[in-house]
Amino acid sequence: MYHRISDVEMFNTHIGYISQNYPVVIPGDALPQGKLSVCLTFDDAYFDSYHSVFPILEKLQIRAVIGVPARFIMEDTSVDKKIRLNVPYDDAMKSNVFIEKAPFCTWQELKEMADSGLVRVASHSNSHMNLIRGNVDLTDEIVLSKQIIEQRLSQEIDTFIYPFGKVDRRVHHFASGHYKYLMRIGSALNKDWHNSNNMIYRVNGDNLMGRKGFGKINILKYFLKYISNTIRRK
C-alpha cells in the first residue's frame, strides 16, 4: 500500500527489487502455490501515480491497483506539473484545493492508465470519508463512486479500498454486496483474494527501499497479524 511517491529513485529501486523477486499480481490473478506474491496498491490517485509510478510500471511491465476517490477527480487540467506534485498531502482534499491545484489524476490520465492494461482502477469511496461514522451515506460513498468511475472509464470496477482502513461489519456487509474484492490496511499477509472474511489486507509500503519490508522477521510478523485478524474477524 502506497500513497505519495516523494523519492522516485528510491521507489524505482524498491519496485525493481519486487519485480525481480516476486510475482506481481492484481485481484483475481492465479496465485503461485508456495510462493509469496505481491499486489501493489496506490491509494488516493494522486498525480504522482500517473507522473512517477505509471512510467515505472510501463518499464517493468508490471501491474498495480489505484484507488480513486471519485469526487476529487477532474476531467482535465492545465495546472503546472510542479504545482500538482507539491501540494501537501494533508491539504489535497481540503475545500477547492483539488480544483485549484489539481493534486489528483484527471479522468483522462486514469483512462490512459486503465486502457494500458497495467492499472486496475478501484473505488476508494466518493469523498474519502471514514465510513464507520454514523452520518455517512454508504450508498453515495460505495455505490455512487463505483457508478461514476465505471461511467468515466467504461470499465467494470470490482475492487473497493476502505478509506483510512476504517471498516466495521455493517459497512463491510454493505460493500460486499457491490464489489468482488475489498481491501483495508490490516498490516498482514493474505491466504488468497478473499481470506476467511472476504477482506484483502495490505502492508504500508510508503518510503520503503530495496528489499526492506521483506525480511523473515517482517514476513513472520505479517503472518501472525493475518492469524490475529482472522480470529478477530477484522
Side-chain angles (χ1 to χ4, degrees):
M1 173 188 70
Y2 305 87
H3 292 84
R4 299 286 290 273
I5 306 303
S6 56
D7 188 328
V8 177
E9 183 176 352
M10 181 176 73
F11 176 76
N12 191 20
T13 301
H14 177 61
I15 297 301
Y17 170 81
I18 291 174
S19 68
Q20 292 171 12
N21 291 275
Y22 301 96
V24 179
V25 295
I26 59 174
D29 283 353
L31 301 175
Q33 294 296 315
K35 186 171 185 178
L36 181 67
S37 300
V38 176
C39 176
L40 306 173
T41 68
F42 298 84
D43 285 6
D44 307 327
Y46 288 106
F47 175 55
D48 55 82
S49 295
Y50 176 78
H51 180 269
S52 304
V53 175
F54 186 47
I56 294 174
L57 300 180
E58 289 185 305
K59 181 183 71 173
L60 299 176
Q61 285 297 292
I62 56 176
R63 296 172 296 164
V65 177
I66 294 181
V68 174
R71 187 175 81 83
F72 299 103
I73 309 301
M74 298 191 298
E75 178 63 31
D76 199 7
T77 183
S78 59
V79 177
D80 184 80
K81 292 180 180 179
K82 289 185 179 179
I83 294 176
R84 298 180 69 188
L85 290 169
N86 287 288
V87 176
Y89 178 85
D90 292 335
D91 292 346
M93 295 184 187
K94 291 181 179 178
S95 188
N96 289 327
V97 172
F98 74 96
I99 296 174
E100 297 165 357
K101 297 186 178 181
F104 302 97
C105 294
T106 65
W107 287 117
Q108 291 188 19
E109 291 161 350
L110 288 169
K111 177 70 171 171
E112 179 184 342
M113 291 192 288
D115 287 349
S116 74
L118 298 175
V119 170
R120 166 80 64 84
V121 174
S123 171
H124 197 29
S125 80
N126 191 29
S127 52
H128 201 270
M129 298 182 68
N130 179 349
L131 300 181
I132 66 175
R133 289 170 48 187
N135 61 342
V136 173
D137 186 336
L138 294 183
T139 299
D140 185 71
E141 296 298 326
I142 293 174
V143 182
L144 180 61
S145 63
K146 172 183 172 72
Q147 294 171 345
I148 291 173
I149 299 170
E150 288 182 337
Q151 181 181 34
R152 289 288 189 166
L153 302 183
S154 300
Q155 294 187 6
E156 180 185 5
I157 304 301
D158 63 3
T159 303
F160 186 85
I161 300 174
Y162 291 111
F164 309 106
K166 299 292 187 179
V167 57
D168 57 20
R169 293 184 183 180
R170 175 183 66 92
V171 172
H172 189 52
H173 176 75
F174 185 88
S176 295
H178 300 278
Y179 295 87
K180 187 174 182 179
Y181 306 104
L182 296 130
M183 297 181 170
R184 57 164 297 194
I185 299 177
S187 302
L189 294 177
N190 298 278
K191 177 177 65 69
D192 52 37
W193 291 117
H194 298 285
N195 293 315
S196 62
N197 58 357
N198 196 31
M199 187 82 76
I200 301 170
Y201 303 118
R202 301 180 302 151
V203 173
N204 187 6
D206 289 334
N207 299 316
L208 292 183
M209 61 184 301
R211 68 185 300 274
K212 190 174 181 181
F214 292 92
K216 292 182 179 179
I217 293 178
N218 280 322
I219 297 299
L220 176 60
K221 179 176 67 175
Y222 300 145
F223 173 70
L224 294 175
K225 192 61 184 290
Y226 163 75
I227 295 176
S228 173
N229 289 346
T230 301
I231 293 173
R232 295 181 300 141
R233 299 181 64 187
K234 290 188 175 183

